[in-house]
């Protein structure tokens, strides 16, 4: 007689055997969703655990206990934490993050405007940094252990060692203060022309590019070098294929999975790590919005920003996993 547990698991096992790629994709998506829910618990609980009280901060130290109690009741802070969490989570999955305690405006509307600015900054930095990092990585492999490779490695190590706020202040000092060729602060507004917007974000974009370029370039170089020792690379060179063409046509495509992972991780950093850069350049994005909200203890805004940053980071990591799976020929063409 067959085991009931084994019988119940047969459909799932057959599905995995017939559609291994689809099964892995579904598994990654479900794990990402569960991770996002777990992160939402940490964000909400962490914000609730912060010392102090918004009502006291809002009304001042001279506020009467009755006035504080009225504000807490108006904001729903007198209700149980668990019920408030599930209400917040349900609204968040529907795109409703509630109302800002400080401005009394819709958090979703404010986040929408700020998120667009942050994505524009991070996207433009990605357009520059990703192809440049992959190109420099391949160039470094082509001239490995020679002067161009050593120069690229020294510059990349210096860029990795410097924090983004220090790079940002250096760029402001030289290009905005001393030479006067760049705009500071990086102010953008609705209706601003595309060229003017690019000029405004030149310095924060350069800062982000320098921060992520070095890491992506070094990981690209390492991934391609690990492929260069393969037998088919030696065969390609024996057939007379030039070293650079062998790197471009054979080594780089076969090193695609680790390159995709490091690029996706750095893209996630570009979106999530813009907080410091936006504060340095007074850029009206999500990072600046979150810092301003922390200053006045506007908890709905802090929770919304934290959840959105987490969702972007988890989504890009999931995308990296999916692209790496799709790039694996053994999964695309199972025997």
């Amino acid at each position: 007689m067959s085991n009931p547990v084994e019988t119940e698991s047969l459909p799932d096992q057959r599905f995995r055997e017939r559609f291994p790629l689809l099964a892995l994709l579904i598994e990654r998506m479900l794990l990402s969703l569960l991770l996002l829910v777990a992160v939402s618990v940490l964000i909400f609980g962490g914000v609730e655990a912060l010392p102090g009280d918004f009502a006291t901060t809002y009304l001042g130290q001279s506020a009467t206990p009755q006035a504080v109690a009225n504000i807490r009741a108006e904001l729903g802070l007198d209700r149980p934490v668990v019920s408030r969490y599930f209400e917040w989570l349900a609204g968040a999955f529907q795109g409703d993050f509630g109302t800002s305690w400080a401005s009394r405006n819709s958090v979703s509307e404010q986040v929408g405007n700020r998120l667009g600015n942050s994505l524009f900054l991070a996207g433009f930095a990605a357009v520059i940094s990703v192809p440049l990092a992959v190109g420099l990585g391949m160039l470094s492999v082509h001239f490995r252990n020679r002067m161009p490779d050593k120069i690229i490695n020294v510059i990349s190590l210096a860029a990795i060692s410097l924090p983004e706020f220090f790079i940002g202040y250096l760029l402001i000092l030289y290009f905005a203060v001393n030479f006067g060729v760049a705009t500071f602060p990086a102010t953008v507004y609705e209706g601003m022309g595309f060229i003017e917007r690019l000029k405004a974000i030149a310095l924060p974009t350069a800062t982000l590019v320098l921060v992520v370029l070095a890491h992506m370039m070094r990981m690209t170089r390492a991934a391609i070098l690990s492929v260069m020792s393969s037998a088919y690379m030696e065969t390609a060179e024996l057939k007379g294929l030039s070293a650079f063409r062998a790197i471009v046509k054979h080594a780089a495509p076969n090193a695609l999975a680790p390159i995709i992972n490091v690029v996706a991780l750095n893209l996630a950093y570009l979106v999530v790590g813009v907080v410091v850069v936006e504060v340095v350049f007074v850029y009206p994005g999500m990072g600046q919005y979150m810092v301003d909200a922390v200053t006045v203890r506007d908890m709905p805004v802090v929770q919304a920003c934290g959840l959105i940053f987490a969702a972007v980071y988890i989504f890009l990591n999931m995308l990296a996993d999916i692209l790496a799976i799709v790039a694996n020929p053994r999964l695309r063409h199972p025997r």
Side-chain angles (χ1 to χ4, degrees):
M1 183 179 292
S2 61
N3 192 335
V5 176
E6 294 181 357
T7 305
E8 290 176 1
S9 64
L10 280 177
D12 178 65
Q13 184 178 355
R14 285 198 297 267
F15 181 79
R16 288 178 176 273
E17 290 174 355
R18 292 184 61 187
F19 308 103
L21 181 58
L22 182 60
L24 280 172
L25 296 182
I26 293 174
E27 182 181 346
R28 292 295 189 276
M29 292 178 185
L30 291 176
L31 286 174
S32 298
L33 182 61
L34 290 174
L35 180 59
L36 182 59
V37 173
V39 169
S40 72
V41 175
L42 293 177
I43 291 172
F44 193 90
V47 170
E48 287 292 324
L50 289 175
D53 183 72
F54 172 79
T56 304
T57 305
Y58 182 73
L59 295 173
Q61 296 296 329
S62 59
T64 63
Q66 184 59 45
V68 172
N70 291 339
I71 290 292
R72 288 181 58 84
E74 181 183 347
L75 299 176
L77 296 176
D78 56 343
R79 296 166 50 211
V81 174
V82 176
S83 63
R84 284 192 287 119
Y85 165 73
F86 283 110
E87 182 180 336
W88 170 74
L89 184 64
F93 276 108
Q94 296 174 18
D96 180 13
F97 293 101
T99 304
S100 168
W101 291 352
S103 65
R104 303 302 174 95
N105 294 323
S106 170
V107 175
S108 300
E109 292 180 5
Q110 295 176 329
V111 163
N113 297 330
R114 298 297 189 108
L115 182 59
N117 291 339
S118 291
L119 291 178
F120 180 78
L121 174 60
F124 192 64
V127 167
I128 297 173
S129 59
V130 171
L132 191 59
V134 175
L136 286 175
M138 291 192 292
L139 192 68
S140 181
V141 171
H142 180 60
F143 292 103
R144 63 185 180 277
N145 300 326
R146 286 184 276 176
M147 188 56 65
D149 180 33
K150 292 178 181 178
I151 293 173
I152 291 174
N153 278 314
V154 168
I155 294 175
S156 65
L157 281 173
I160 290 174
S161 304
L162 296 175
E164 56 264 47
F165 67 86
F166 184 75
I167 295 175
Y169 285 132
L170 282 180
L171 293 179
I172 292 170
L173 175 63
Y174 285 104
F175 292 100
V177 178
N178 292 348
F179 300 130
V181 296
T183 303
F184 179 80
T187 304
V188 296
Y189 51 86
E190 190 175 353
M192 191 177 189
F194 183 73
I195 301 301
E196 289 76 12
R197 189 178 287 258
L198 291 184
K199 290 179 181 178
I201 67 168
L203 289 183
T205 299
T207 304
L208 288 172
V209 168
L210 289 173
V211 168
V212 301
L213 176 65
H215 186 238
M216 283 194 290
M217 188 279 297
R218 290 179 67 82
M219 292 301 293
T220 300
R221 179 182 183 275
I224 295 176
L225 280 177
S226 67
V227 175
M228 291 296 291
S229 59
S230 302
Y232 61 83
M233 290 302 301
E234 296 178 4
T235 303
E237 292 178 1
L238 289 174
K239 286 182 177 180
L241 201 65
S242 66
F244 191 71
R245 288 190 65 190
I247 292 171
V248 174
K249 293 186 66 176
H250 297 286
N254 283 283
L256 196 59
I259 292 175
I260 287 173
N261 273 304
V262 72
V263 167
L265 286 173
N266 280 275
L267 290 181
Y269 173 79
L270 279 177
V271 178
V272 178
V274 294
V275 176
V276 174
V277 174
E278 288 182 0
V279 171
V280 169
F281 291 96
V282 201
Y283 183 75
M286 285 282 290
Q288 183 68 53
Y289 185 42
M290 185 175 181
V291 171
D292 292 342
V294 170
T295 304
V296 298
R297 301 188 61 81
D298 194 349
M299 295 302 106
V301 175
V302 176
Q303 290 167 343
C305 292
L307 187 64
I308 290 172
F309 282 142
V312 170
Y313 196 86
I314 292 171
F315 171 76
L316 288 174
N317 276 273
M318 179 191 71
L319 186 62
D321 284 344
I322 291 174
L323 291 177
I325 290 170
V326 172
N328 189 338
R330 289 174 295 180
L331 293 173
R332 292 203 313 268
H333 308 287
R335 293 181 179 179

